[in-house]
Amino acid sequence: MSEGNARQRWLASYARWIRQNAATLVAVWILFAGACAWFATGRLALDANTDSLIGSDRPFMTGYRAFIDEFGDLEYIYVAVDSRGDRETAHRAVNELAPLIRALPSIREVHATISDDEQWRLAAWTMTPAELASLGSASPAFPAFANGRATTGRQVATHAIALLARIMRDGESLDPAQRDALAASVSFEVDALVGDPHDANWTWAPRPTEYLATESGTMFLLEVLPEKDFSSFATIEQSLAQIREAITKVAAANPSIEIGLTGKPVLQADELATSNDDMTRGAVVATVLIALLTIWVLRSVAPALLATLALGVAFAWTYGAAALLVGRLNLLSLVFMLVLVSAGIDYGIHLIARYREFRERMGAEPALRRAVESNTIPIWTGALTSAVVFFAALLTEFSGLAELGTIAGVGLLICAAAMTSFLPATILLHERWMAHRRTRTALPLTTPAASNRTLMARAFDLSARWTIVAGAIGVLAVAALIPSLDFESNLLKLQAEGLPSVEWEQRLLRDSASASWFGAIVAHDEHELAGIVSRAKAEPDIESVRSVLDFVPEDSPERATQRRALGVSIMGATMEPSEPGAITPELSGELATNFRRFQSHASQGATDREGARLTHLADRLEALDAALHDPQRAPEAAARTDAAVARVAIALGAIGKGAVGTLRDALPSAVSARLVAPSGQLLASLIPRDDIWEFAPLTRFVAAIRRVSADATGVPITVYESVLDMKHAFILMSTASLLAVAVIVWIDFRSLVATATCVLTLVIGLAWTLGAMSLLGIPLNLANFFGVPMLLGFGIDATVHLMHRARETGSARALGWTSRAVLISAATTAIGFGTLLFASHQGLRSLGWLIVIGTVATSVASVWLLPALLRRFPRLLGRH
């Protein structure tokens, strides 16, 4: 009894302190709210990066971040062009889209094709040692092509005549290697002069542009890397809007094809846009509806508006605390807004309800004092139990959830503080102001007397025995349903229905095994890479492997030396000044005559194949000479010759550039970043066979790539491990929360019987919730799973208030305004999260269903089952 008396004396002193310092208290709360809002504006950052939701110290994230640091951002936007059988139009659309998107200021890279120049640049890395030696042997001819695309037939013919003259003059004195090099060079130059750029069979003909495409070849892709501003929830919003505008324009001009947009950045941006809109709209609508509901039920405007004001002040304090304790808001911690709107206002409702009850039989200040004395402890018990549920997230390894737990937990405690100090102070000041205006009461008493019970109260006043029986039957019924409750881990199924980016992702998945997900294994050299590729191909759950070995063979010291020497020869060649203009008939005649002589002599010791080649070149050169001597054909022949030698010069320059550079420099820009890191390390991208948005195929795929290499990383592994972390967090949070709730309730009541009764009531309500979820076919998922531990905090609040009231009166039959307050609080929580039932985002909608069903179930258990238990078994009150 002494402990109870001490508590009552403290509560009486606290109520008296509020009465004596009401104006100062309100001023301090409001001034500090302004300071917190100002502080949060400058210090509270936004972080829209989904990687930030995962603890950076997790081993799988350490490896993934090291991979990102090494290779850079490989998460592209994909513009998919479905040819629908019209490849020509699809190619045209790609060619139109690429420059439009590339011109956007917020776009870093656009990859759609592999050009002729890029293919030639890679040629030195794909040549065999024999091919490198063959081209390298013609190095004396390289100076003739040093002017690049400005090279003319006259320059090459003049140089070839000079080389032939040297062979004829010094042939006997040259060593065999020099003689062979000169002979190869002459043949090389003649082949350039007589070539036809329009002949696809010609060695130096322009290579057709290759388009990035899916495995079936029916869809063509543009890979777009935008600037990503993770300090804003509109991370790539501007880029997406501009890209979609370009797509609309090109699609309208090419109606026979379809163009869509997808990829991880697009899916995340669309998800963020829909969820952020849903959350913001839900918070605003919930605040308004809850205020209106409170006004309607309490039959008074002022207390409801003052409670809403207290909530707003608590919001400002919470933002300040978030800036100080966490420093940022992430994609998960945004949920704290709905948590505070739904749960924070409940504390004020309980205080106002008791105040109304006392006000019916006494003056304003005594009624407020009694309300504070009777409700402060239950409010703080409820707030602590709810807050500890969120603080339990700190025990998990999911940092995004831990940040939500910190902000929401602190916010709930701030709400409790506001509703037990700021709110009664404002009510008191309002009453005094109204009294000063000589108004009899600030709260019009239109509610019937407390003895006239409401229809809802009578509805719950059933026989205690039959209530308990019905509750037991309900528990047994849901016990059979709970095991069939599913867990949905497919993130695509949480997106808004009909979202174009999701539909295009699914279309790409049907066409190829993976649109944007791949396992990543880093190799230090090509030999190690070859081993990785070999092991990966033996895994049935890996569809294919993409690596630099798809473009070039495994290198060797011999090839590297030859390639380097070839590149130096090409890039180091210089052209001596020569007369400008096209090739003349005189030059062609001289060259044709000398080359025929050279051919006759060289064919004697040559192989049949080489002899035939020299003869063919001599015939073609004489045909060119004949055309140049024909006034009607000469202009066309000269132009064709200039185009041919310029074509060879361009290709030769690209080969030289690729040969002297690194492999990353030589690779086409469309693939280089995903194949070779700036440091030279090589990437093997492992593509899944099945749709790894589903968890079972994802599990098999992750196991497969880890068998290939224990150091494997990539988005599939981060998603897989994150799902496991979240499932573990769900179990840990639920268990820790239940234990913490029980401890806090025991500290409040100091009775194991009363504590067990409250917890049992809560568990029954949660059982009904999970059974109803299973019956309605609403699975737990990665968006709603943390709603279960949240219900632990929300649900225990009702049982605590009702138990306090029953212990206060010594009976569960006269719970008065407390039952009504519990139902109003349940309604506010249901309204707060119920706004999500109209959300576009399916994950948020499922969260709304879980909280609404859970709130109804736990409220029914509290208001209906708990009083029945207490009436049937009075000892459950736990009073000494």
Side-chain angles (χ1 to χ4, degrees):
M1 293 295 292
S2 60
E3 180 183 341
N5 290 334
R7 177 185 290 189
Q8 285 304 120
R9 285 195 300 272
W10 181 89
L11 289 170
S13 298
Y14 177 66
R16 186 167 55 252
W17 177 78
I18 291 176
R19 179 176 59 81
Q20 294 171 349
N21 300 278
T24 303
L25 194 59
V26 170
V28 169
W29 269 96
I30 291 177
L31 287 174
F32 202 74
C36 286
W38 173 82
F39 178 72
T41 301
R43 294 286 297 274
L44 189 61
L46 300 177
D47 187 355
N49 191 347
T50 53
D51 291 341
S52 300
L53 301 178
I54 308 169
S56 59
D57 58 341
R58 301 287 286 125
F60 70 91
M61 281 305 296
T62 301
Y64 181 68
R65 292 185 188 280
F67 162 68
I68 294 299
D69 291 341
E70 184 69 27
F71 282 87
D73 186 0
L74 298 181
E75 293 183 353
Y76 292 94
I77 292 173
Y78 288 91
V79 180
V81 180
D82 189 344
S83 65
R84 300 175 65 186
D86 189 351
R87 294 172 64 88
E88 182 179 348
T89 301
H91 287 172
R92 183 171 63 248
V94 170
N95 294 338
E96 293 172 359
L97 271 172
L100 288 176
I101 298 175
R102 194 173 285 118
L104 300 177
S106 57
I107 300 301
R108 290 166 54 189
E109 300 174 16
V110 178
H111 305 300
T113 60
I114 299 177
S115 67
D116 166 78
D117 182 73
E118 290 178 312
Q119 294 176 57
W120 283 113
R121 193 173 67 213
L122 188 62
W125 290 82
T126 63
M127 292 179 183
T128 64
E131 290 170 333
L132 287 167
S134 175
L135 182 57
S137 66
S139 59
F142 295 164
F145 301 91
N147 285 344
R149 65 177 63 252
T151 301
T152 65
R154 185 183 189 116
Q155 293 170 341
V156 175
T158 301
H159 195 267
I161 290 170
L163 291 180
L164 281 170
R166 185 180 176 192
I167 293 173
M168 298 301 182
R169 183 181 69 247
D170 304 328
E172 297 300 327
S173 62
L174 297 172
D175 62 53
Q178 290 178 311
R179 188 167 54 249
D180 290 345
L182 290 174
S185 299
V186 170
S187 297
F188 183 87
E189 292 178 331
V190 170
D191 182 52
L193 286 165
V194 301
D196 183 357
H198 301 293
D199 182 1
N201 295 320
W202 182 43
T203 302
W204 302 97
R207 298 188 176 183
T209 298
E210 294 184 7
Y211 291 81
L212 301 185
T214 58
E215 294 175 5
S216 69
T218 60
M219 287 194 192
F220 300 95
L221 303 175
L222 291 88
E223 295 181 341
V224 182
L225 188 63
E227 295 285 354
K228 298 174 182 177
D229 179 15
F230 291 117
S231 65
S232 165
F233 287 133
T235 307
I236 58 171
E237 186 176 307
Q238 180 182 2
S239 300
L240 283 183
Q242 293 172 334
I243 293 172
R244 283 173 169 140
E245 184 179 346
I247 288 175
T248 301
K249 178 180 178 181
V250 173
N254 300 277
S256 65
I257 62 170
E258 289 185 272
I259 308 176
L261 200 61
T262 190
K264 185 181 175 184
V266 184
L267 292 169
Q268 288 181 344
D270 287 349
E271 179 178 35
L272 181 59
T274 55
S275 60
N276 195 31
D277 288 346
D278 291 337
M279 291 292 293
T280 303
R281 182 172 57 250
V284 173
V285 172
T287 301
V288 173
L289 290 179
I290 288 170
L292 293 176
L293 173 68
T294 307
I295 292 171
W296 178 70
V297 173
L298 297 179
R299 310 292 178 87
S300 182
V301 174
L305 293 182
L306 292 177
T308 305
L309 173 63
L311 183 64
V313 170
F315 253 102
W317 278 52
T318 303
Y319 273 105
L324 181 65
L325 299 175
V326 179
R328 67 179 182 182
L329 289 177
N330 62 47
L331 301 178
L332 272 180
S333 58
L334 277 176
V335 176
F336 91 91
M337 293 191 296
L338 274 184
V339 172
L340 298 194
V341 169
S342 302
I345 196 71
D346 292 351
Y347 310 142
I349 289 173
H350 280 288
L351 185 108
I352 293 171
R354 290 308 300 274
Y355 172 61
R356 287 301 306 266
E357 184 176 2
F358 289 123
R359 187 70 177 86
E360 290 171 350
R361 55 180 186 270
M362 62 184 69
E365 293 201 13
L368 190 60
R369 175 179 58 79
R370 291 289 303 277
V372 170
E373 290 175 355
S374 62
N375 260 58
T376 297
I377 296 299
I379 286 174
W380 274 98
T381 300
L384 284 170
T385 55
S386 297
V388 80
V389 168
F390 286 97
F391 289 145
L394 295 172
L395 302 175
T396 71
E397 295 176 316
F398 205 74
S399 61
L401 198 58
E403 291 177 13
L404 167 62
T406 299
I407 297 172
V410 170
L412 287 171
L413 296 180
I414 291 173
C415 285
M419 298 303 177
T420 55
S421 61
F422 178 82
L423 177 60
T426 55
I427 292 175
L428 185 60
L429 292 177
H430 178 261
E431 289 284 5
R432 289 173 179 174
W433 177 70
M434 294 298 291
H436 181 70
R437 294 182 58 190
R438 290 177 170 76
T439 302
R440 186 179 63 84
T441 175
L443 299 171
L445 302 179
T446 58
T447 306
S451 59
N452 296 327
R453 299 187 305 174
T454 65
L455 178 63
M456 184 171 290
R458 289 196 299 271
F460 284 102
D461 189 16
L462 304 175
S463 166
R465 178 180 299 176
W466 288 110
T467 299
I468 295 171
V469 170
I473 293 173
V475 171
L476 292 174
V478 299
L481 294 171
I482 292 176
S484 61
L485 182 63
D486 292 330
F487 188 93
E488 179 59 71
S489 58
N490 189 327
L491 298 176
L492 282 184
K493 294 181 179 179
L494 304 185
Q495 294 270 28
E497 293 175 325
L499 207 59
S501 56
V502 174
E503 293 178 354
W504 277 96
E505 178 76 7
Q506 292 170 337
R507 288 176 68 168
L508 287 178
L509 284 170
R510 289 192 293 269
D511 186 278
S512 306
S514 173
S516 54
W517 287 23
F518 59 89
I521 301 177
V522 178
H524 296 89
D525 54 48
E526 292 175 16
H527 179 71
E528 181 183 357
L529 181 64
I532 291 170
V533 171
S534 177
R535 293 194 299 274
K537 288 183 176 179
E539 291 288 345
D541 290 299
I542 298 176
E543 175 72 19
S544 60
V545 185
R546 297 171 186 167
S547 75
V548 72
L549 297 181
D550 296 334
F551 294 85
V552 301
E554 187 176 347
D555 210 4
S556 66
E558 177 189 5
R559 289 181 66 245
T561 301
Q562 287 180 299
R563 182 174 60 249
R564 181 70 182 175
L566 174 62
V568 170
S569 296
I570 295 173
M571 302 305 290
T574 57
M575 180 66 183
E576 295 181 3
S578 60
E579 294 184 30
I583 186 173
T584 64
E586 292 76 18
L587 281 174
S588 66
E590 181 181 359
L591 179 58
T593 300
N594 291 344
F595 187 77
R596 176 63 77 179
R597 189 181 304 125
F598 163 76
Q599 175 261 322
S600 299
H601 177 74
S603 295
Q604 295 177 5
T607 62
D608 291 344
R609 182 177 180 181
E610 180 61 21
R613 177 176 175 275
L614 290 172
T615 300
H616 175 71
L617 288 175
D619 293 342
R620 293 287 304 276
L621 188 56
E622 289 175 349
L624 172 63
D625 179 50
L628 290 170
H629 278 83
D630 183 343
Q632 293 184 343
R633 293 190 295 156
E636 180 185 350
R640 185 175 65 249
T641 300
D642 284 344
V645 297
R647 178 66 248 165
V648 174
I650 292 170
L652 200 60
I655 291 173
K657 184 178 180 180
V660 298
T662 64
L663 176 57
R664 179 182 169 93
D665 295 333
L667 285 165
S669 60
V671 297
S672 60
R674 64 173 67 253
L675 298 178
V676 185
S679 66
Q681 294 200 87
L682 308 174
L683 176 62
S685 299
L686 282 58
I687 311 304
R689 183 176 301 278
D690 300 315
D691 177 7
I692 59 174
W693 286 99
E694 297 291 342
F695 193 68
L698 175 62
T699 302
R700 296 195 302 269
F701 179 66
V702 168
I705 62 178
R706 282 177 166 167
R707 284 193 295 269
V708 175
S709 173
D711 297 323
T713 185
V715 172
I717 288 182
T718 63
V719 170
Y720 171 77
E721 293 290 350
S722 297
V723 170
L724 294 183
D725 277 357
M726 293 180 79
K727 288 183 176 179
H728 175 71
F730 166 69
I731 296 172
L732 180 60
M733 281 186 66
S734 299
T735 304
S737 298
L738 189 59
L739 292 174
V741 162
V743 169
I744 293 172
V745 174
W746 178 83
I747 292 173
D748 182 12
F749 293 123
R750 299 299 175 93
S751 167
L752 289 176
V753 173
T755 299
T757 303
C758 288
V759 172
L760 175 63
T761 304
L762 172 64
V763 170
I764 290 173
L766 286 178
W768 290 345
T769 300
L770 298 178
M773 294 277 288
S774 178
L775 183 64
L776 296 173
I778 305 171
L780 291 175
N781 56 53
L782 298 176
N784 70 13
F785 80 98
F786 63 87
V788 174
M790 284 170 61
L791 286 172
L792 287 172
F794 297 162
I796 198 67
D797 184 70
T799 63
V800 166
H801 278 281
L802 290 169
M803 181 65 80
H804 263 284
R805 182 60 183 269
R807 285 162 65 94
E808 177 186 323
T809 61
S811 170
R813 293 185 178 276
L815 299 180
W817 274 87
T818 302
S819 293
R820 190 180 304 180
V822 166
L823 292 174
I824 297 171
S825 296
T828 60
T829 302
I831 289 172
F833 284 90
T835 56
L836 297 181
L837 298 181
F838 305 98
S840 301
H841 190 274
Q842 296 184 79
L844 287 179
R845 193 187 310 156
S846 70
L847 174 61
W849 276 114
L850 174 62
I851 299 297
V852 169
I853 293 171
T855 300
V856 171
T858 54
S859 298
V860 169
S862 299
V863 178
W864 177 45
L865 184 59
L866 177 61
L869 288 170
L870 296 179
R871 290 198 302 271
R872 184 66 179 170
F873 308 104
R875 290 185 178 182
L876 295 180
L877 287 170
R879 301 183 71 187
H880 299 295

